[in-house]
Amino acid sequence: MNEAPRQITLREWDDRYERLQTRGVRQPVYGGPLGRHVADGDTRLLKLRYDSSLAALRLWNFLLTEEDRLRAARDAGKKLVGTMKDLGTVPVMAYSLDNLVAFYPDGAWWIPCVMEVNSGLLQIADSLGIDESFCPVRAMLGAFVTGTHFPIPDLLTCSVGATCDDFSAIAQRLNGLGHPILWWEIPHRRAPEVEEEAVQLPGDFSAPKGQIEFVQSELERVKTALEDLAGQSLGAEALAGGIAKANHVRWLLAQLRHLAFTATLCPMPALEMLIAEMLAIHFCSDQDETIVVLQELLEEVNLRVAAGTGYSSADAARVFWVNPVADLQVMNFLEDCGGRICGTEYLFAHALDPIPQTVPPMEALAQIALADPMVGSAADRAVRIVAEVRRFGAEAVIVSRIPGASHCALEGEIIGEIVRQECGLPVLEIEVPPLTDAMSPTLRTRLEALVETVENRRSR
Amino acid sequence: MKTIAYTCPYVPAEWIAAHGLRARRLVPLPIEGTSTIPRIEGLCLYARAFVNDVAASDDVSGVVVTTMCDPMRRVFDLLVRRVDTPAFLLNVPSTWQTVAAQRLYLDELKRLGRFLVRLGGHEPDKEELIRAMLDQAHGNGVHGTGFPNAMNRVGGPTPYGHGVPLALVGGPLMLRDRVLFDVIADCGGRIVLDATETGQRGVCGPFDRRRLAEDPLMELAQAYFRLPDASRRPNSELYRWLKDQLAQSGAHGIIFHHYVWCDKWRAEFARLKEWANLPVLRLDSEGDGPIDMVRTRNRVRAFMEMFQ
């Protein structure tokens, strides 16, 4: 596939799919025209624009067939683990056991967007007292009640402590409805004091050794529960193998991100890159296939970079994006307005960092869990963002607020303050609800204004 | 004597006193016109008011914030950036069923002790700690208010008298919310159980005298760590505590109060309503101005009519 890249609509993709079929292009078992997902209720797909590569098609189909994959895994006798409020730690353990499949129930937060609020999940959450003052992740509660968006897992784990209150409260409500939860504590990451031994964490954070030991002991509890569920023990060797595999996924993403954010012409649109990054959290319920999907994307991107093809123009405003968007369409907006993504921090930067392989595996997982940007201070997170802004040469920062999310009330102010101080860049804070249709003119105007600001700064 | 301010009930005032410092539980008024944190949208107004009141206090030498809720954890970030007063973030585990979580809390108290020494306090004195704990047990208090905690300044239960006996359940109350008690009394009710964070629920149970004598810090940590709250995971102990207290108090109904952006308490309302075999009235407060008296009074009055 070496055609000039372009963003196409779902209808265009379906036409293209037919032509590809007649040419005998093969698809994976979960492949097919994207339009069939609309028939399942994913109507938002009609409003998005997609990269025209087969690699992107595979990515989308992989994402949109996760529920089928989970049900097939259960039918095949595998046990399902719902890893709540866990961005890339427990799934590494679960996938090190061959009869467990981990998934991320919090991922239901995108269902109201993808199904354009037609799923009824938010209404169920409302009826359970979890109203719109909470983050859209409340859709997860509805998904558990209906049991129609993912199978009810055999084991539910949830990290608590230094996490957002929305999710903690929603998980407690879920627990109150009769779903047992294995709670594990993630303490607020703090700087080591003078008398404490310091440990350097991935992402250039540091923490006292005592905190690493504590988190490790918590993860040991989770590991025991996973072993009980799997009916097999998880030895250090198997876990080290699981970590190496997870690191391969992270390595692929690192290559992909580097090319996408630094190439003269953007070789892969923001939306596909967002989806690709999300795969690092729980591998979309199939770790092996995640690797294949990312390899294909990377090949496509390599081809484009080598050919000097890509999107927009070389002078597109280089934007660093903070927090994932509840409405996927907003990633399209950025490019419409003359911007491109050059760096991201979608709340799970630690899930993209290599897991240390020079320390015992459980200690390594404890380190990566504590490296979560959300468990430390917003100032810590801002420092990491500043480093990435410089690395990728971003010219502006967008902090995208998630409606109702407890961390969003203040973090934007601190991140903005530090980014302006350290980099002197413009910072735009926006709020993105699951459906932005009613406010899209305002959003676009604000994005255009940011792009113009970047252009004006260049000419100064 | 230097004063250390805090508001979370998981901060043991006795521990601060054992370092030769005065503990002051700062329940925000809030003070008008302060704006260390000007933003309102999405932020729990209690957390905001606390930081603004700390910033406006010129007699505070240090402040202790805890991780019991995300807004407090995050306002700490702003506090250290915008206020000169030295601040300490006490990591209070949300989980409570493991020995590791209990040990973490104890270790955090020791770390707090080092912070207090750096502020000019002396090394913790065992006898002083025991004395402070006994004073607390006798109601003499070390919280700087002259009372076991701040509840008497906000409202507190009125176990005798007329009116329909009610329980007040929820997170913390600000000082100006004391008007709520008057409104309830005016409408024919009386609070027999103040199960808010600034009420009876925020007071730790009695200390065991034998353990207190042997290892007072351990006893202190265990007593405080057992405080029930909506934020604990799981928070089953809150309901266990409420079950006992509601039965003892003879409450006929529950008034549930929370601030608009307090997720952890807001989320409990529906569950409490399902759980309690009593009528429940929810009062959500914007907390950013005087309580909307007319609205509150009407709602409480309508609730009271149920009991006629």
Side-chain angles (χ1 to χ4, degrees):
Chain A
M1 180 96 175
N2 202 8
E3 298 169 9
R6 60 192 184 96
Q7 281 180 300
I8 58 177
T9 64
L10 186 112
R11 297 287 179 228
E12 287 174 308
W13 237 127
D14 283 354
D15 292 344
R16 179 169 163 70
Y17 183 83
E18 263 188 54
R19 291 196 300 276
L20 291 167
Q21 283 292 93
T22 54
R23 277 162 41 190
V25 173
R26 294 185 61 167
Q27 284 287 294
V29 286
Y30 54 82
L34 286 180
R36 75 190 195 279
H37 302 295
V38 175
D40 293 339
D42 297 346
T43 50
R44 195 61 170 174
L45 301 180
L46 290 165
K47 299 197 172 107
L48 304 179
R49 275 172 298 104
Y50 308 84
D51 179 73
S52 57
S53 67
L54 271 176
L57 177 68
R58 185 170 192 153
L59 173 74
W60 280 103
N61 273 325
F62 183 51
L63 174 78
L64 296 168
T65 54
E66 185 175 11
E67 186 189 345
D68 302 339
R69 214 157 29 251
L70 285 169
R71 295 194 191 282
R74 171 160 283 168
D75 290 345
K78 293 196 173 189
K79 299 287 186 187
L80 306 183
V81 186
T83 58
M84 298 191 296
K85 204 65 209 164
D86 181 316
L87 300 162
T89 304
V90 175
V92 176
M93 277 196 267
Y95 282 102
S96 301
L97 290 157
D98 58 15
N99 58 347
L100 297 188
V101 171
F103 75 103
Y104 182 55
D106 325 20
W109 89 298
W110 266 336
I111 295 174
C113 163
V114 174
M115 300 187 78
E116 298 195 310
V117 201
N118 292 321
S119 60
L121 301 187
L122 296 183
Q123 289 88 332
I124 293 170
D126 282 343
S127 72
L128 293 168
I130 306 294
D131 59 19
E132 70 279 1
S133 71
F134 291 84
C135 159
V137 77
R138 67 196 178 101
M140 180 192 77
L141 206 52
F144 269 98
V145 171
T146 62
T148 51
H149 295 277
F150 49 72
I152 304 302
D154 301 293
L155 171 67
L156 261 179
T157 67
C158 184
S159 75
V160 282
T163 59
C164 61
D165 279 359
D166 303 77
F167 198 85
S168 179
I170 291 165
Q172 178 61 70
R173 189 75 178 104
L174 183 65
N175 188 217
L177 292 173
H179 294 274
I181 293 175
L182 191 162
W183 307 96
W184 63 278
E185 184 85 25
I186 182 81
H188 175 84
R189 184 187 63 243
R190 60 176 175 82
E193 294 179 357
V194 180
E195 59 274 17
E196 291 179 311
E197 189 180 336
V199 175
Q200 192 68 26
L201 302 176
D204 276 343
F205 298 128
S206 67
K209 192 165 189 291
Q211 281 202 324
I212 308 285
E213 289 166 352
F214 174 79
V215 174
Q216 187 175 335
S217 74
E218 289 295 281
L219 291 175
E220 291 284 358
R221 287 200 296 122
V222 178
K223 177 169 161 279
T224 303
L226 294 175
E227 289 173 330
D228 289 347
L229 182 66
Q232 51 182 288
S233 65
L234 177 56
E237 201 177 324
L239 186 53
I243 287 174
K245 205 165 177 182
N247 275 345
H248 184 52
V249 170
R250 294 169 189 224
W251 180 84
L252 288 166
L253 276 166
Q255 305 301 308
L256 198 53
R257 293 175 85 239
H258 177 76
L259 288 168
F261 301 158
T262 61
T264 308
L265 288 179
C266 176
M268 189 56 65
L271 182 52
E272 277 76 12
M273 284 302 296
L274 168 64
I275 305 298
E277 288 196 29
M278 295 292 292
L279 298 186
I281 298 174
H282 69 289
F283 315 114
C284 211
S285 305
D286 187 336
Q287 197 178 26
D288 292 327
E289 188 59 24
T290 288
I291 290 171
V292 176
V293 167
L294 291 178
Q295 274 170 342
E296 273 198 16
L297 268 182
L298 184 57
E299 281 165 23
E300 181 68 35
V301 165
N302 269 317
L303 284 172
R304 289 177 180 179
V305 172
T309 58
Y311 286 95
S312 189
S313 63
D315 60 356
R318 304 169 64 82
V319 173
F320 189 99
W321 198 287
V322 179
N323 293 338
V325 286
D327 184 354
L328 297 169
Q329 193 178 25
V330 173
M331 302 316 284
N332 285 160
F333 289 173
L334 177 71
E335 284 146 354
D336 295 345
C337 296
R340 66 177 281 194
I341 293 289
C342 288
T344 57
E345 209 285 57
Y346 291 140
L347 300 175
F348 53 88
H350 65 302
L352 306 176
D353 290 327
I355 304 168
Q357 289 181 275
T358 53
V359 295
M362 287 302 287
E363 187 182 333
L365 289 181
Q367 284 191 19
I368 208 77
L370 261 178
D372 182 340
M374 300 305 290
V375 310
S377 69
D380 265 11
R381 192 175 174 214
V383 169
R384 177 168 185 153
I385 289 168
V386 164
E388 295 275 290
V389 161
R390 288 179 174 144
R391 181 175 155 218
F392 294 121
E395 298 169 290
V397 174
I398 292 178
V399 180
S400 168
R401 296 177 65 182
I402 300 165
S406 62
H407 60 92
C408 286
L410 282 178
E411 68 179 6
E413 199 168 325
I414 295 172
I415 291 169
E417 202 171 281
I418 293 174
V419 167
R420 284 186 200 100
Q421 196 178 311
E422 295 290 320
C423 308
L425 295 184
V427 179
L428 172 67
E429 200 172 347
I430 56 174
E431 181 161 288
V432 179
L435 291 182
T436 54
D437 296 351
M439 59 190 289
S440 66
T442 312
L443 257 180
R444 282 174 182 271
T445 303
R446 298 191 70 197
L447 294 175
E448 281 164 4
L450 183 73
V451 169
E452 281 175 26
T453 304
V454 167
E455 288 166 354
N456 287 340
R457 286 165 56 89
R458 283 180 190 159
S459 60
R460 258 192 267 151
Chain B
M1 190 184 277
K2 289 183 173 175
T3 299
I4 306 299
Y6 69 97
T7 194
C8 175
Y10 289 92
V11 178
E14 298 87 341
W15 186 230
I16 296 171
H19 290 76
L21 301 168
R22 181 187 296 117
R24 177 173 155 213
R25 188 170 190 192
L26 198 161
V27 177
L29 260 173
I31 296 169
E32 297 296 332
T34 54
S35 58
T36 303
I37 302 181
R39 177 173 236 154
I40 294 173
E41 191 189 349
L43 178 64
C44 163
L45 271 299
Y46 187 91
R48 176 175 177 264
F50 174 71
V51 170
N52 285 338
D53 277 21
V54 166
S57 305
D58 51 12
D59 59 343
V60 170
S61 302
V63 58
V64 183
V65 177
T66 75
T67 59
M68 280 313 290
C69 69
D70 204 29
M72 274 295 183
R73 182 166 78 97
R74 294 188 176 277
V75 296
F76 178 82
D77 286 352
L78 273 186
L79 190 69
V80 294
R81 291 179 68 77
R82 297 190 181 164
V83 178
D84 292 335
T85 310
F88 181 88
L89 185 62
L90 183 77
N91 215 325
V92 180
S94 295
T95 54
W96 51 273
Q97 291 169 311
T98 65
V99 175
Q102 294 166 26
R103 195 181 301 129
L104 176 64
Y105 179 62
L106 179 63
D107 288 344
E108 283 292 291
L109 291 186
K110 290 176 181 169
R111 196 169 66 84
L112 170 62
R114 296 196 290 272
F115 170 76
L116 296 174
V117 170
R118 284 198 296 275
L119 283 190
H122 58 61
E123 289 293 336
D125 181 89
K126 184 179 176 184
E127 294 309 315
E128 213 167 332
L129 177 58
I130 291 173
R131 204 163 41 247
M133 290 168 75
L134 289 173
D135 280 354
Q136 167 72 345
H138 293 137
N140 298 326
V142 288
H143 295 255
T145 60
F147 295 102
N149 71 1
M151 68 178 183
N152 294 294
R153 297 172 67 196
V154 178
T158 48
Y160 308 107
H162 300 292
V164 177
L166 299 170
L168 181 63
V169 177
L173 294 175
M174 294 196 216
L175 282 181
R176 72 171 170 217
D177 293 336
R178 73 180 77 171
V179 69
L180 192 56
F181 292 82
D182 299 333
V183 169
I184 291 166
D186 290 350
C187 295
R190 86 189 144 97
I191 298 299
V192 291
L193 171 64
D194 180 357
T196 63
E197 189 176 301
T198 36
Q200 291 151 270
R201 193 175 53 73
V203 181
C204 72
F207 300 116
D208 180 285
R209 284 186 171 257
R210 187 179 55 79
R211 292 199 299 266
L212 186 152
E214 285 170 4
D215 189 344
L217 177 57
M218 177 65 83
E219 175 60 10
L220 184 78
Q222 287 188 350
Y224 272 87
F225 198 60
R226 281 195 296 266
L227 282 173
D229 192 74
S231 61
R232 308 313 291 272
R233 292 293 173 267
N235 62 16
S236 46
E237 291 304 290
L238 170 67
Y239 287 88
R240 206 184 306 276
W241 183 88
L242 274 177
K243 187 180 175 189
D244 291 345
Q245 295 294 319
L246 286 169
Q248 280 175 34
S249 67
H252 291 188
I254 297 173
I255 294 182
F256 182 89
H257 177 275
H258 68 87
Y259 294 107
V260 170
W261 294 103
C262 173
D263 291 335
K264 283 185 173 167
W265 276 101
R266 187 183 185 94
E268 281 315 309
F269 172 68
R271 184 161 163 231
L272 181 81
K273 209 170 170 184
E274 289 162 6
W275 170 85
N277 199 20
L278 295 170
V280 185
L281 170 69
R282 167 170 162 171
L283 293 178
D284 53 341
S285 166
E286 291 176 9
D288 195 39
I291 285 186
D292 181 342
M293 289 296 294
V294 176
R295 176 173 168 260
T296 301
R297 195 177 292 274
N298 282 342
R299 298 191 68 199
V300 173
R301 186 162 286 147
F303 184 60
M304 298 310 296
E305 283 170 7
M306 292 174 65
F307 299 99
Q308 289 171 0

